[in-house]
């Protein structure tokens, strides 16, 4: 019996270390009448193995301070779905959230219990999926614009951010060479938000690593800029500045034929109309899976009535301000507890937070986006250490 439990523990570790990278792939099983992602099968298996080990007291529930609050949100999601959506939507949405959030907690626990083994498996899984994505597109004659595998388009920049964070946190130069090899493919992917997030995070790490030298450099650059503005105040004219490419007239009198082909025009219309829906349902939203039903009122073509490609706005629309507060509440508790054991740990948390915010502002809702939502809190597990395991898991 002990040998079987040891095998289950080892299998759980392997699955836990690879399930998050697996969610950033398009690997699916097509069965009669249903399509199941391999990541979902892996998640269900992880939960099953966890309960087997918990029954024999071979594992404990170990999550960051405040993470338990996510289960209050699941209850809110179920209640809101019953009131504003349908029984089916309420159950499906609640189960999807519960599956992801429980798996994230189990994965975090495994990264604490087996830090070195977990890090090695996790980083290798990320790199292998990157290789798979690039080779798949090369095999189909696409040497750039790697977007034919759905959510896999995010894996390259995500892997780059994790490698940079790992190098900074552990001062480990082992992964510099893989990062150098990966970098051109991050650019060739043409995934704009991923490229932006990777470079911003890398710049923040560079400033933190050389903070004293760069502090004086930045102060000098700032002073030089102030002098220039005093000498020529008209050199910066923000009168024509706008975050959006198109005017209100172009959005509210939308050329839907053009919007079907011009990505920025379509996305700006989604954000504009989504914000209008939110303003009419500020506190509790329209209900789970109800965004598209309300968005269709703004378009003639149903093909244009999609989610807003902004996870924060999607959450506000479907769950309201109250729902977003519940989702962010674990961060408030975590911040109040001041869980950082070192400056480097705090630096990594802030960089991962910056990465997640940038990505979520331009991503569609779905499993990968919700994994990134708690990336700084739970999925920075690649940076755990044996000392942290001793103090946190074995307490």
């Amino acid at each position: 019996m002990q040998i079987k439990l040891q095998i289950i523990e080892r299998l759980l570790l392997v699955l836990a270390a690879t399930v998050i990278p697996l969610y950033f792939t398009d690997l699916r099983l097509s069965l009669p009448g249903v399509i199941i992602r391999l990541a979902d099968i892996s998640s269900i298996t992880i939960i099953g193995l966890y309960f087997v080990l918990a029954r024999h007291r071979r594992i404990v529930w170990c999550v960051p301070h405040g993470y338990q609050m996510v289960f209050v949100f699941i209850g809110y999601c179920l209640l809101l779905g019953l009131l504003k959506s349908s029984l089916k939507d309420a159950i499906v949405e609640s189960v999807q959230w519960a599956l992801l959030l429980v798996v994230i907690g189990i994965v975090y626990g495994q990264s604490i219990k087996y830090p070195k083994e977990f890090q090695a498996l996790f980083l290798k899984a990320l790199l292998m999926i990157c290789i798979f994505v690039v080779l798949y597109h090369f095999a189909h004659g696409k040497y750039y614009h790697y977007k034919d595998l759905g959510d896999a388009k995010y894996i390259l920049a995500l892997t780059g951010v994790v490698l940079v964070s790992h190098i900074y946190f552990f001062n480990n130069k082992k992964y510099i060479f893989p990062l150098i090899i990966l970098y051109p493919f991050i650019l060739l992917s043409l995934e704009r938000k991923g490229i932006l997030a990777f470079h911003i995070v890398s710049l923040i790490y560079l400033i933190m690593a050389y903070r004293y030298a760069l502090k004086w450099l930045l102060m000098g650059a700032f002073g030089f800029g102030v002098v220039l503005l005093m000498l020529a105040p008209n050199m910066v004219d923000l009168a024509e500045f706008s975050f959006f490419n198109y005017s209100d007239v172009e959005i509210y009198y939308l050329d839907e034929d053009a919007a079907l082909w011009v990505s920025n025009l379509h996305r700006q219309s989604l954000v504009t109309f989504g914000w209008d829906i939110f303003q009419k349902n500020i506190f509790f939203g329209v209900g789970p899976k109800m965004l598209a039903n309300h968005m269709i009122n703004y378009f003639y073509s149903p093909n244009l009535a999609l989610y807003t490609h902004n996870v924060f706005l999607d959450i506000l629309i479907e769950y309201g301000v109250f729902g977003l507060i519940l989702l962010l509440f674990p961060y408030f508790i975590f911040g109040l507890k001041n869980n950082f054991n070192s400056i480097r740990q705090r630096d990594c948390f802030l960089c991962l937070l910056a990465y997640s915010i940038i990505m979520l502002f331009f991503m569609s809702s779905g499993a990968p986006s919700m994994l990134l939502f708690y990336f700084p809190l739970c999925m920075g597990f690649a940076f755990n250490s044996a000392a942290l395991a001793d103090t946190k898991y074995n307490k």
Side-chain angles (χ1 to χ4, degrees), residues 351-372:
C351 286
L352 294 177
L353 190 63
Y355 169 76
S356 293
I357 290 173
I358 294 169
M359 294 297 292
L360 294 175
F361 259 104
F362 303 102
M363 282 182 71
S364 299
S365 296
S369 64
M370 298 329 298
L371 291 171
L372 290 184

Side-chain angles (χ1 to χ4, degrees), residues 290-302:
M290 294 299 291
L291 189 156
N293 292 347
H294 286 73
M295 189 68 77
I296 193 65
N297 297 327
Y298 295 84
F299 297 100
Y300 290 109
S301 173

Side-chain angles (χ1 to χ4, degrees), residues 256-272:
E256 296 199 4
D257 290 332
L260 285 169
W261 296 100
V262 182
S263 174
N264 287 343
L265 176 60
H266 183 207
R267 291 194 178 195
Q268 185 175 330
S269 70
L270 290 171
V271 171
T272 302

Side-chain angles (χ1 to χ4, degrees), residues 189-264:
S189 71
L190 300 185
E191 178 54 42
R192 292 173 292 180
K193 52 186 170 290
I195 294 172
L196 174 65
F198 171 77
H199 283 93
I200 289 178
V201 168
S202 298
L203 178 61
I204 295 173
Y205 277 128
L206 183 64
I207 292 173
M208 289 175 172
Y210 300 97
R211 63 186 76 199
Y212 298 109
L214 286 174
K215 180 177 72 173
W216 294 106
L217 180 63
L218 292 172
M219 289 178 64
F222 177 76
F224 181 69
V226 171
V227 172
L228 283 180
L229 286 175
M230 292 176 64
L231 296 175
N234 295 326
M235 65 181 297
V236 179
D237 184 8
L238 299 178
E240 301 297 324
F241 175 79
S242 175
F243 284 103
F244 296 114
N245 298 327
Y246 302 95
S247 66
D248 290 342
V249 173
E250 290 174 298
I251 296 300
Y252 285 104
Y253 296 93
L254 185 67
D255 182 347
E256 296 199 4
D257 290 332
L260 285 169
W261 296 100
V262 182
S263 174
N264 287 343

Side-chain angles (χ1 to χ4, degrees), residues 131-159:
I131 294 171
F132 167 74
V133 169
V134 172
L135 291 180
Y136 176 89
H137 286 86
F138 278 17
H140 289 79
K142 298 193 71 172
Y143 302 104
Y144 61 93
H145 201 262
Y146 309 139
K147 298 187 178 183
D148 289 350
L149 287 173
D151 295 326
K153 61 188 175 184
Y154 304 123
I155 194 69
L156 294 166
L158 172 63
T159 303

Side-chain angles (χ1 to χ4, degrees), residues 5 8-9 11-13 15-16 42-63 71 102-110 113 393:
L5 290 175
I8 292 175
E9 287 179 331
L11 179 58
L12 178 61
L13 171 61
L15 292 177
S42 181
S43 294
I44 294 171
T45 305
I46 286 171
I47 293 174
L49 295 177
Y50 174 84
F51 279 111
V52 170
L53 294 174
R55 183 185 175 191
H56 292 85
R57 299 182 180 180
R58 298 290 292 257
I59 197 169
V60 297
W61 179 252
C62 177
V63 292
F71 299 104
V102 169
V103 166
I104 290 173
I106 296 173
V107 169
Y108 179 82
Q110 290 296 291
K113 189 175 183 180
Y393 191 91

Side-chain angles (χ1 to χ4, degrees), residues 64-66 108 329-347 349-350 377 388 392 395:
H65 288 295
Y108 179 82
F329 206 68
Y331 281 101
F332 298 147
I333 299 176
F334 184 82
L336 290 173
K337 291 289 185 179
N338 192 17
N339 284 270
F340 306 116
N341 296 322
S342 66
I343 293 177
R344 284 181 181 266
Q345 191 180 44
R346 183 204 62 192
D347 291 347
F349 174 82
L350 293 175
L377 189 65
L388 185 61
K392 200 164 189 177
K395 183 183 293 185

